[in-house]
Amino acid sequence: MSADPVTPGSDTGITRDEVAHLARLSRLAVTDAELDVFAGQLEVILSAVSRVGEVAADDIPPTSHAVPLQNVFRPDELRPGLTQEQALACAPAAEDGRFRVPQILGEEA
């Protein structure tokens, strides 16, 4: 493929041989019918990319998001919660002020 950007209406289209070469490099199995379809699709893609390049101007700052982002964190404030006794009141098993759970790693307690 040529290194020059493709401009809309130009006659520097993508050839079947170039599409076949790209398919080989990508290790894609492409039929003869697909070569023509992909050549047309790649032409459209390169034309669109070329148009975007024409619009980009030095006086326009780069944009990472379409809308401004805000910090969604709330302030870290102390709020009332359960006491240790209340939290363990309905536990099936408790030991030393903590939930007691079955041993799963085979480690000595």
Side-chain angles (χ1 to χ4, degrees):
M1 290 189 323
S2 64
D4 299 331
V6 177
T7 56
S10 68
D11 50 338
T12 58
I14 308 279
T15 65
R16 287 173 50 96
D17 290 339
E18 290 170 327
V19 174
H21 180 69
L22 286 174
R24 278 191 301 278
L25 291 175
S26 304
R27 301 197 190 291
L28 297 173
V30 179
T31 66
D32 285 339
E34 290 172 326
L35 287 175
D36 293 325
V37 172
F38 292 158
Q41 290 175 345
L42 286 170
E43 179 73 26
V44 170
I45 291 169
L46 290 176
S47 294
V49 170
S50 177
R51 284 193 305 269
V52 169
E54 293 170 5
V55 172
D58 294 333
D59 59 336
I60 300 173
T63 304
S64 63
H65 293 83
V67 294
L69 296 179
Q70 272 182 277
N71 188 348
V72 295
F73 296 114
R74 62 173 171 76
D76 191 12
E77 299 171 351
L78 185 61
R79 299 190 309 189
L82 298 175
T83 65
Q84 184 178 23
E85 292 80 22
Q86 289 171 326
L88 294 172
C90 293
E95 183 178 301
D96 297 326
R98 297 176 292 209
F99 292 102
R100 180 168 172 79
V101 295
Q103 183 175 340
I104 60 170
L105 298 178
E107 299 172 357
E108 293 294 323

